[in-house]
Amino acid sequence: MNVELVSAHLTVVQKHEISMYARAFGDLAALAVWGTEARALITAAIHSLG
């Protein structure tokens, strides 16, 4: 499994590491929003800047 990082990428081959990245991805995916909900969050962030 290849993992993209900010400055490069790395190859993860150990099963426990792959499981760790898969779990982290799943956790982040569960927090993700799209469409109207994403637009509302972006709009609220812009408004909070004044």
Side-chain angles (χ1 to χ4, degrees), residues 1-46:
M1 175 168 111
N2 286 320
V3 179
E4 292 288 332
L5 302 173
V6 174
S7 62
H9 74 276
L10 60 100
T11 301
V12 179
V13 295
Q14 294 186 17
K15 287 184 179 185
H16 73 278
E17 291 178 322
I18 293 170
S19 295
M20 184 174 59
Y21 275 97
R23 187 170 48 254
F25 182 84
D27 291 345
L28 291 172
L31 296 171
V33 294
W34 292 268
T36 304
E37 192 175 354
R39 186 178 307 276
L41 286 173
I42 293 166
T43 302
I46 291 169

